[in-house]
Amino acid sequence: MIRMTIRQLEYFQAVLETGSATAAAKVCHVSQAGLSAGILQLETALNIQLFVRQKSRNLSLTPAGRAFSLTVQSVLQQLQELEDGAASFGHAVSGVLRLGCFESLSPTLLPRLAGHFTDNFPDVSLRFFEGSPRAIEDDLRSGRCEGILAYKQHVSGGLVYHSLGSHPLYIALPPEHALAEKDSINLDELASYPHVLLDQEPISTLVTNLLREHGAHSEPLLTSRSIETIRSAVARGLGFTVTGVRPPNDLSFDGLPIVYKPLSDGGQVREIVLCTMPGVPLSRRLTEALEFCKMLVSHTSL
C-alpha cells in the first residue's frame, strides 16, 4: 500500500526548487505549518529523514534526501505527463514546457521556438530558464525544467544527449579588416590583431585558451558580458572577436556592418544538444521542441 501522497512529493520538490520552507509554502499555496507537516508525514511514510532542520528555518538535504530527490523528479514528471495526456485527449500537445537554455543560444533558439508553439500548440504554456551551462544543468537536475539546450562540451556526463546539429566557431570582423575578404580564417592568422572578448563562461575561457595556443598573447582591448556591446565594438573597428553565434542580420546594434567568417580549424565544430535526465521519458511537448530545434539548427547559421 502506498502511504505517501502526490501533494507531499510536490511539497518536497518545492523545497528543493526554492531552498526554503517559507518560499515553498507560497509556491504551493499552503501555510508553512501545513507544508512542514506534509514533509514530516512523507518522512514518516518513508521511514527516513529527508532534511536537516536548521535554526534559520532553512532545510538542507540529508544523503538519503539527496538520493530520494532524483527519484521524485522522475515520478513527478511522469505524473504530470499522465495528467496532461488525460486532459488533452483529442489534442496533440499541451501542458507546461519548462526548458533551460545556455544564454548565448537563447536569442537565436527560444523566440522562434516560442513562435512555433504559439502558432501550432496554443495549449502549451512556456517557461524558459536562461543562464550558464552550470546554472541550467542545476535547473535540470533539480527538476525545475525538463530539458536544457546547450553545447555538449559544456555539460557534464550522466545526462541523456539528443543531438540537434553542429556548427563552427566564427570570427567576427569589421568590413575593413585585412582578413575580411577570406572565405575562412585560421587562428594563426589572428595572432597580431587586437581582439575584444565576450566575458561569459565558458566561451571566454575557451576563446582565451584558443588564441594563446595560436600565438595571440595580448589582452583583449575590451571585455563585456553583453554580446551586443561586443558586436558594436567589432563593427567600430576595435578588434575581432571569436563567437559561437552568428545572428541572421550581420549588423551591430547601432546598424554598422559586421563580417562573419568560419574558423578553418576543423577541431572547432561544436555540437548543440538537448539534454534530459536519464530514465525520464520525453513528454510530447518536449519531443516537439526537440524536432523543431533540430530543424532550426540545420537551417540556421548559429
Side-chain angles (χ1 to χ4, degrees), residues 202-262:
I203 187 67
S204 57
T205 296
L206 171 66
V207 169
T208 298
N209 290 340
L210 282 173
L211 292 176
R212 286 176 179 171
E213 289 171 7
H214 290 266
H217 298 287
S218 61
E219 294 297 316
L221 187 65
L222 176 150
T223 65
S224 173
R225 289 190 55 80
S226 166
I227 183 63
E228 290 300 340
T229 299
I230 292 299
R231 281 162 41 82
S232 292
V234 169
R236 291 188 175 276
L238 297 180
F240 72 86
T241 197
V242 183
T243 179
V245 178
R246 179 180 180 178
N249 187 345
D250 292 347
L251 295 174
S252 68
F253 186 79
D254 46 2
L256 298 178
I258 302 172
V259 174
Y260 287 88
K261 300 294 181 179

Side-chain angles (χ1 to χ4, degrees), residues 83-164:
E83 181 179 286
D84 293 341
S88 63
F89 184 76
H91 299 277
V93 186
S94 66
V96 181
L97 174 62
R98 295 180 173 86
L99 194 63
C101 188
F102 181 30
E103 55 193 345
S104 71
L105 287 172
S106 60
T108 303
L109 296 181
L110 296 188
R112 297 186 219 190
L113 182 63
H116 172 69
F117 273 90
T118 300
D119 292 341
N120 299 284
F121 306 104
D123 292 333
V124 175
S125 298
L126 303 172
R127 301 289 184 273
F128 292 149
F129 305 91
E130 300 162 78
S132 68
R134 177 175 294 182
I136 61 174
E137 187 174 331
D138 287 345
D139 287 338
L140 176 63
R141 293 186 183 278
S142 69
R144 193 181 183 204
C145 57
E146 57 181 307
I148 58 174
L149 297 165
Y151 292 108
K152 185 176 180 180
Q153 69 188 100
H154 295 154
V155 289
S156 62
L159 301 176
V160 179
Y161 306 112
H162 308 271
S163 180
L164 304 179

Side-chain angles (χ1 to χ4, degrees), residues 38-51:
I39 295 291
L40 184 59
Q41 291 165 2
L42 178 61
E43 291 178 319
T44 301
L46 297 171
N47 196 29
I48 59 173
Q49 184 176 348
L50 297 171
F51 292 102

Side-chain angles (χ1 to χ4, degrees), residues 167-175 177-191 193-197 203 206-207 210-211 214 216 227 230-231 234-235 239-247 250 257-265 268 270 302:
H167 69 87
L169 288 174
Y170 294 93
I171 303 298
L173 306 159
H177 195 282
L179 302 177
E181 298 299 321
K182 294 176 65 67
D183 292 332
S184 63
I185 298 174
N186 189 292
L187 283 167
D188 293 332
E189 300 177 276
L190 296 167
Y193 295 101
H195 71 286
V196 295
L197 180 67
I203 187 67
L206 171 66
V207 169
L210 282 173
L211 292 176
H214 290 266
I227 183 63
I230 292 299
R231 281 162 41 82
V234 169
F240 72 86
T241 197
V242 183
T243 179
V245 178
R246 179 180 180 178
D250 292 347
I258 302 172
V259 174
Y260 287 88
K261 300 294 181 179
L263 276 176
S264 57
D265 304 67
Q268 304 311 321
R270 302 199 296 169
L302 291 173

